[in-house]
Amino acid sequence: MLRYLAIPVVLIGLLTTACQTSMLKQFSEVKPGMEKDDVLDLMGTPTRTQRYHGKDRWTYVFYDKRIRFEKEVQFFDGSAIYVGDISQPEANRTAVAMDTTNDVKNREIDEQIARDVEKHRRSYEEYEAQSKGEDKVRYVPSFEPVR
């Protein structure tokens, strides 16, 4: 009885493994312009998803003949705009470059604030002097000493 049960199980196993296509071959069918649903139907659920600069980035990690592949699909407004290897940030978009740029901008802002504070301090001092009348030259009579 067990022998008769094992034959269909082995046949089903052989048929399903024979029908599998490589993920690399499937990924080669993904083209720019495809909708998210079409990519999901073809490739399945991505290994990682990320939203970066208004784009959805889906990363697929799979093995083909013991070689590890990481491929990426980027979507904008629901359709694929990039299909291929993981894209690296541009040279001017690295964290160090962005920090340097931000430090320069922050220093400029701090200097502008310091200039504005000094300008407002001087304006207030002038206003105070004006309201007290210290900005005008007053007539001071000259007296001769009494003998």
Side-chain angles (χ1 to χ4, degrees):
M1 179 74 172
L2 236 108
R3 191 179 326 167
Y4 295 117
L5 199 68
I7 292 172
V9 171
V10 170
L11 284 175
I12 290 173
L14 287 173
L15 288 173
T16 55
T17 57
C19 294
Q20 287 181 346
T21 59
S22 81
M23 291 287 284
L24 190 58
K25 188 173 182 179
Q26 280 180 287
F27 193 82
S28 67
E29 295 175 20
V30 178
K31 303 290 181 215
M34 290 179 78
E35 298 292 320
K36 285 183 176 181
D37 292 339
D38 299 331
V39 175
L40 278 173
D41 290 341
L42 185 63
M43 293 298 297
T45 305
T47 308
R48 286 188 303 265
T49 59
Q50 178 184 21
R51 185 139 180 97
Y52 184 73
H53 290 294
K55 294 182 240 174
D56 292 320
R57 298 171 71 176
W58 290 3
T59 305
Y60 290 93
V61 179
F62 53 87
Y63 291 85
D64 189 49
K65 297 178 185 168
R66 295 187 178 198
I67 299 172
R68 184 175 193 265
F69 291 93
E70 281 193 45
K71 300 291 185 176
E72 180 177 75
V73 182
Q74 293 181 7
F75 296 93
F76 186 74
D77 287 337
S79 57
I81 58 171
Y82 173 80
V83 176
D85 292 327
I86 302 272
S87 63
Q88 298 299 321
E90 302 158 11
N92 61 352
R93 286 291 195 189
T94 62
V96 174
M98 290 178 78
D99 286 346
T100 303
T101 303
N102 290 338
D103 285 343
V104 169
K105 288 180 182 177
N106 287 340
R107 265 187 259 121
E108 289 172 359
I109 290 170
D110 289 343
E111 291 169 0
Q112 182 63 42
I113 289 172
R115 284 192 298 269
D116 288 347
V117 166
E118 181 60 28
K119 179 180 154 190
H120 289 298
R121 187 186 61 73
R122 274 188 269 118
S123 295
Y124 181 74
E125 287 174 355
E126 290 172 8
Y127 167 76
E128 246 186 353
Q130 213 175 26
S131 64
K132 291 179 183 176
E134 294 173 355
D135 62 329
K136 298 178 183 169
V137 177
R138 296 177 182 243
Y139 172 73
V140 179
S142 59
F143 295 98
E144 289 186 28
V146 182
R147 297 185 202 195

